[in-house]
Amino acid sequence: MHIGELAERTGLSLRTIRHYDEIGLLRASGRTDGGFRLYTDEDLARLILIRRMKPLGFSLEEMMSLLKTIDTLDGAIKGADIAAVRSDLESFIAQAEERRQGLRDQLAMADEFLALLRQQ
C-alpha cells in the first residue's frame, strides 16, 4: 500500500510516517519505480503497535528498543540471548502496565473533577 493508505488506516499523518521512516522506526518495505514508498500488512501492524505506545508516553528510543526485542523474538535477529530478550519484553510489559495505571488514575481524577463541577 502507498503511504496515503497507511496514513488513513492508522490515523497518523504522512509527515509522522515519513519521520518514522527517516529515523528508522518504520522503514518502507519497498519503493515504486517512481520512488514512492510501499508498505505491507506487516508494516501496518508494526505502525499500529507504535501508535498504541504513544499514549503511554514511550519515547522513540523506547519504541525502537521494543521493536528490536520483538524482531529478535520473531527470529529476524539471529544469535541473540533469547532469555535476556524475553526479560526485556517482560520489562516493557511491566512499564506499559504501570503507565496504563497512571492513565487510569488521571481518568479517575478527571471524573472526580467533573463530579465536583456538576455539584455547583
Side-chain angles (χ1 to χ4, degrees):
M1 73 192 81
H2 289 262
I3 192 169
E5 182 181 350
L6 187 68
E8 184 177 316
R9 292 177 68 179
T10 61
L12 294 170
S13 69
L14 298 174
R15 182 178 179 194
T16 296
I17 295 170
R18 286 186 188 112
H19 177 67
Y20 288 169
D21 188 5
E22 289 168 8
I23 64 171
L25 189 60
L26 177 76
R27 295 265 186 221
S29 288
R31 295 230 179 216
T32 66
D33 291 338
F36 294 101
R37 294 172 176 90
L38 292 173
Y39 297 92
T40 64
D41 287 335
E42 291 80 20
D43 297 329
L44 172 63
R46 189 175 186 96
L47 189 54
I48 288 171
L49 179 67
I50 292 166
R51 185 158 189 256
R52 298 297 180 253
M53 294 175 74
K54 287 179 72 173
L56 295 174
F58 284 97
S59 68
L60 292 175
E61 292 79 18
E62 289 169 321
M63 291 178 189
M64 285 185 200
S65 181
L66 175 60
L67 292 172
K68 182 178 178 184
T69 297
I70 290 170
D71 288 346
T72 301
L73 291 173
D74 287 345
I77 300 175
K78 305 292 182 197
D81 177 358
I82 296 301
V85 174
R86 288 206 178 279
S87 177
D88 289 345
L89 180 59
E90 289 300 320
S91 175
F92 277 109
I93 291 169
Q95 288 179 50
E97 288 173 343
E98 183 178 312
R99 292 173 187 210
R100 182 180 66 179
Q101 185 58 51
L103 290 174
R104 282 184 175 156
D105 294 345
Q106 288 180 351
L107 182 58
M109 284 187 258
D111 289 341
E112 289 174 17
F113 173 67
L114 285 169
L116 290 170
L117 289 178
R118 289 182 177 122
Q119 290 175 0
Q120 301 300 318

